[in-house]
Amino acid sequence: MKRLIGIILAVAASLLMAGCAQNLFYQPDDILYDVPIHLGLNFEEVTFHSADGTALTGWFIPAAGIGDPKQAKGTAIHFHGNAQNISAHWRFARWLPQNGYNLFVFDYRGYGTSKGRPHVKGVFEDSRAAIDYVRQRPDVNPERLIIFGQSLGGANALAAVGSGDRAGVRAVIIEATFTAYSDIASEKVPGSGVLMNDDYSPSRYVSRISPIPLLLIHGTADKIIPYSHAEQLFRLAGEPKHLITVAEGEHIQAFAPRYGSTYQDEALRFLDQALSATHKSAPDKP
């Protein structure tokens, strides 16, 4: 009997630990915080589907001041962080349509008005579905795609592109993401990393981004995802790669008002260089 009770308690503890770890990564809501029209930007709300048929929601925000979106400098796909939904995150990428780029923001399953519940494989498939959706839009140049991921979104973005969904992707910008689900889970809840699925972790895919130019951005005062994660991802990445260190920067602050346009300007220079480079089409996804 004592042995049975011990097994039950161990299982219960494992389930509790797994639940805590899961909550670290997914904290969605369906509150409408903001819309692009508040900054004078038009947008189109769209529905598309993940590989398993889950209906997802996104906003297509065309480049400001350009009549035909296909003539924009490029089209950026923004992968947001773990909490809230696109209406709370899209402003981190507002500088893109304000500087000649179309922008597509979307919600993973369970976020905002997207259906389903989030889990590691599901949000990975949602991320690939978002890239595929944008690539197929008739008002987008499919050879000038930009991937921009922040925090959890950076992990999703690296896995999606690194797994082979790279046709037309000309540049990847990742801010403040982690090396692996197990690594960051264990840092927050000691021992919980053994319960995490690392099949879609950035450390498995970051080396496969090359030869697409990769820009990593991370703050040295990030208490949510320590700067050491960026250093490790940078070591694993292939060329061409760049790492921007945000001195005393906290979590995903590079594009927040605190720094004005400093890091926006650096990112725009990176994009100009990537898009002007001689381009050989990357192979499509397997």
Side-chain angles (χ1 to χ4, degrees):
M1 179 62 72
K2 288 183 179 180
R3 182 181 179 186
L4 177 59
I5 292 173
I7 292 173
I8 292 172
L9 290 174
V11 171
S14 294
L15 291 174
L16 179 61
M17 189 179 294
C20 291
Q22 182 82 357
N23 290 338
L24 288 173
F25 294 103
Y26 309 116
Q27 300 172 22
D29 68 27
D30 59 1
I31 298 170
L32 182 62
Y33 294 92
D34 188 25
V35 290
I37 200 70
H38 291 160
L39 289 184
L41 295 169
N42 295 321
F43 74 104
E44 173 192 358
E45 184 169 355
V46 305
T47 299
F48 62 105
H49 293 85
S50 195
D52 63 357
T54 300
L56 307 174
T57 301
W59 295 348
F60 181 76
I61 307 170
I66 298 176
D68 179 4
K70 207 162 190 174
Q71 301 305 313
K73 293 178 181 179
T75 299
I77 304 163
H78 181 238
F79 301 71
H80 69 68
N82 73 328
Q84 302 167 312
N85 60 74
I86 52 174
S87 69
H89 286 268
W90 78 271
R91 282 198 178 217
F92 286 113
R94 70 191 185 282
W95 50 277
L96 286 157
Q98 291 171 337
N99 284 279
Y101 293 89
N102 302 320
L103 173 63
F104 183 69
V105 297
F106 72 99
D107 270 328
Y108 318 112
R109 62 188 61 209
Y111 284 76
T113 58
S114 290
K115 305 302 182 183
R117 296 182 64 182
H119 55 89
V120 174
K121 183 180 179 182
V123 298
F124 164 76
E125 292 178 345
D126 300 346
S127 299
R128 289 185 61 136
I131 299 172
D132 290 344
Y133 168 77
V134 172
R135 188 182 286 125
Q136 294 164 15
R137 281 185 66 104
D139 56 354
V140 162
N141 182 341
E143 295 299 320
R144 298 178 71 83
L145 303 182
I146 297 153
I147 302 298
F148 175 29
Q150 295 180 291
S151 194
L152 172 69
N156 295 333
L158 288 172
V161 178
S163 68
D165 200 354
R166 52 194 290 130
V169 175
R170 301 289 296 276
V172 177
I173 299 175
I174 304 295
E175 182 185 8
T177 199
F178 48 84
T179 54
Y181 288 92
S182 60
D183 292 342
I184 196 68
S186 287
E187 288 178 14
K188 304 303 181 184
V189 183
S192 65
V194 297
L195 303 172
M196 299 307 300
N197 176 0
D198 271 335
D199 289 348
Y200 306 103
S201 285
S203 58
R204 290 177 176 245
Y205 294 99
V206 67
S207 65
R208 305 184 200 177
I209 302 301
S210 176
I212 299 170
L214 171 66
L215 174 63
L216 298 174
I217 305 171
H218 212 118
T220 60
D222 192 333
K223 295 180 177 62
I224 296 175
I225 301 175
Y227 179 75
S228 58
H229 287 256
E231 293 178 309
Q232 185 174 341
L233 288 173
F234 187 71
R235 286 193 295 270
L236 293 171
E239 296 288 353
K241 60 183 178 179
H242 307 274
L243 172 60
I244 292 178
T245 298
V246 183
E248 299 305 315
E250 298 179 14
H251 193 57
I252 58 170
Q253 280 199 333
F255 302 106
R258 173 180 177 180
Y259 293 102
S261 66
T262 299
Y263 297 105
Q264 296 174 24
D265 293 342
E266 291 200 43
L268 289 168
R269 284 192 289 271
F270 167 77
L271 292 178
D272 285 343
Q273 183 176 4
L275 289 168
S276 63
T278 301
H279 177 58
K280 294 182 180 179
S281 295
D284 206 343
K285 65 178 183 178

